[in-house]
Amino acid sequence: MSEVEKAFRLFAVYGDTAATGNEMTGKNFSKMLKETGVMDGKFVTSTDVDIVFNKVKSKNARNITFGEFQLAIKELSAKRFKGKATEEALEATNKLMEGKTPANVGATKSVAQAAVERLTDTSKYTGTHKERFDESGKGKGIAGRAELADNSGYVGNYKGAGTYDKSH
């Protein structure tokens, strides 16, 4: 298996848990060409990539195979490296793609700011929210959320609860 085919398979399965790596979607094809530098925005644009993708894929298919991928790269490399011979352009394009893997550009990172710290500090909670946490700030679970029934016979928050038997 060549380096280009390895890169094809890595990008083919990117973002799709059900993908086998034998076929690539248009989205992943575009991502691959953008990240490897084949799509430069000047000679090869995203429109060019979409047009070539639709040209090489089968009529009713949504994906392309590695063979169709090679045809698409051959066509795009002639656009990307104008003035070079077809074989030289294809070789230069393959060098761009060799050993590349999909990157998680713009992946969400957690940010700890003062506002977030203030909102998640359980010692500053008031009212019923305060009852959901113990002194250490750990949640009480269902005991902190559920209103457990008091079957003592007294009204809630009655100060003299439990004193009847002692006085009579």
Side-chain angles (χ1 to χ4, degrees):
M1 185 184 302
S2 69
E3 288 293 316
V4 175
E5 190 172 357
K6 284 180 187 173
F8 171 83
R9 292 190 186 285
L10 285 172
F11 277 93
V13 298
Y14 181 78
D16 186 7
T17 54
T20 60
N22 296 328
E23 294 185 331
M24 182 183 280
T25 63
K27 176 182 72 80
N28 287 358
F29 180 66
S30 181
K31 178 180 179 60
M32 180 180 188
L33 296 182
K34 194 178 296 174
E35 288 186 12
T36 56
V38 176
M39 186 195 311
D40 59 355
K42 189 174 184 183
F43 296 113
V44 178
T45 63
S46 61
T47 306
D48 295 330
V49 170
D50 291 339
I51 289 170
V52 169
F53 180 83
N54 285 315
K55 191 186 291 185
V56 297
K57 74 175 178 68
S58 304
K59 189 83 172 170
N60 294 326
R62 291 176 173 239
N63 302 330
I64 58 171
T65 62
F66 184 68
E68 293 167 335
F69 170 78
Q70 288 177 315
L71 291 173
I73 294 303
K74 196 173 205 175
E75 191 168 326
L76 287 171
S77 60
K79 276 188 173 182
R80 175 70 165 88
F81 298 102
K82 286 185 179 170
K84 285 190 176 184
T86 308
E87 291 302 315
E88 286 179 20
L90 184 60
E91 198 173 307
T93 306
N94 285 345
K95 277 196 173 123
L96 285 174
M97 291 186 289
E98 285 176 359
K100 296 286 172 108
T101 58
N104 293 330
V105 179
T108 306
K109 294 173 183 66
S110 65
V111 180
Q113 295 176 337
V116 176
E117 290 291 323
R118 190 180 74 243
L119 291 171
T120 56
D121 185 5
T122 57
S123 66
K124 293 188 171 46
Y125 288 179
T126 60
T128 57
H129 305 293
K130 188 181 215 176
E131 296 171 13
R132 294 183 59 190
F133 300 92
D134 60 13
E135 295 78 35
S136 66
K138 190 172 182 331
K140 292 181 181 176
I142 192 73
R145 288 191 302 274
E147 286 194 27
L148 304 173
D150 179 22
N151 295 329
S152 64
Y154 292 96
V155 180
N157 294 335
Y158 176 62
K159 304 253 186 294
T163 59
Y164 181 78
D165 291 335
K166 293 175 189 168
S167 62
H168 292 86

